[in-house]
Structure formats: C-alpha cells, structure tokens
Amino acid sequence: MENKLTRMAKLASANPKSWGIVDANEISGHRSVATVSDLYSLAGCILSSSYAGDLAAGRTPTGNDAIGQIWYVQDTNKYYKLITWNDPTTALNW
C-alpha cells in the first residue's frame, strides 16, 4: 500500500497567517484512507498526537486525544468516527 500513513505527518500550511507547520490530525481533509483495512491499520502515532510522547515517558498511551476523530474511507464512500481507544484496529471501535 503505497499511500498508507505509517508515521506522524506534518503539513505545511498555505495560510501565511497561521503556523507554518501543523499536526496532520488538525486538518480534517487530511483524514482519509483508501480502504477500511487501511483505516484499521493506522499507527497509533497517526491517530494520537500524545502517543509517541507517552511511550517515550514509559506511560501506556491512552489515545484520549484521538477519540472523536472522523476519517473518510474512499472505497466505501463513508465516514468513520473513532469512539474508543481500546483497539482501533477493529470495527467495534469505529
């Protein structure tokens, strides 16, 4: 899968009055994947901005900042909302 996100993404803003670089999860249009299996295989650090910091500090990532994210899946033409961090790799949590 060549378009799959596998690490935290940073995007440059086209708005000169905004911050130059922002987290990809702050831009709703960036939250799209090609297939449902791509959605279920998103890395924790893509979904949660605090994920890598929690791991580095020896804490278990809670993913609280990821809950409520809405992702668009192209092949189903549907939106999916993350409702719990228990296991974001299954349909039960979206």
Side-chain angles (χ1 to χ4, degrees), residues 44-65:
C45 61
I46 295 294
L47 296 170
S48 170
S49 292
S50 63
Y51 185 87
D54 285 342
L55 286 178
R59 296 186 299 262
T60 301
T62 63
N64 288 340
D65 61 329

Side-chain angles (χ1 to χ4, degrees), residues 25-49:
N25 66 1
E26 295 176 7
I27 301 173
S28 61
H30 185 74
R31 295 184 195 161
S32 66
V33 290
T35 66
V36 174
S37 64
D38 289 345
L39 178 70
Y40 297 157
S41 64
L42 285 170
C45 61
I46 295 294
L47 296 170
S48 170
S49 292

